[in-house]
Every structure is written in C-alpha cells, then in structure tokens.
Amino acid sequence: MPGPRPVIVYPPDEDGGRRVRVDGVILGRAFNARDIIEFLRRAGLESWDQVDVATSELIEWRGGGPDVWHH
C-alpha cells in the first residue's frame, strides 16, 4: 500500500476550476469535491468521500477551502 500522498488544490481560476496535484503531478481541474474524489481514486486513493476531502490533512487547500469554487 502506498504511503501518504501530498495533495494540493489550487485557487479557483476564472472559470471556477481548481487544479489538483497529487505527488507533484497535475491530475486536472476540479469544479467540485466529487471531481477531487475521482482524481484521488484514479491516483490509487480509494474510498474517499466528501467529508474526507473536506477534513483530510493530506490535502492542502490554496486560495480557499473545500467550499470555495469561484474566483
């Protein structure tokens, strides 16, 4: 099982999307917590839900927390 992975969610862009980076690799732009959950699943972090995304210490939120999706 892989160890903890640093996850960074960048500030919202002009379209409300937030870049998501896991282990230094940009996985895409998220427009809500469900998108982040999908990116994490693809990166091998299974069984995450919206509460996990909002509260996990593995995720660094830049430019606002999990409730901020607009610039």
Side-chain angles (χ1 to χ4, degrees), residues 12-13 16-17 30 32 35 43 45 51-52 54 56 60-61 66:
D13 61 22
N32 54 50
D35 291 342
L45 299 170
V51 172
D52 296 326
S56 176
E60 176 184 340
W61 293 90

Side-chain angles (χ1 to χ4, degrees), residues 5 7 33-34 36-38 40-41 44-59 61:
R5 298 175 179 189
V7 178
R34 288 182 308 270
I36 294 174
I37 292 166
E38 178 60 19
L40 295 176
R41 185 192 66 75
L45 299 170
E46 300 287 336
S47 70
W48 279 55
D49 62 23
Q50 290 187 6
V51 172
D52 296 326
V53 168
T55 62
S56 176
E57 293 185 15
L58 292 179
I59 298 178
W61 293 90

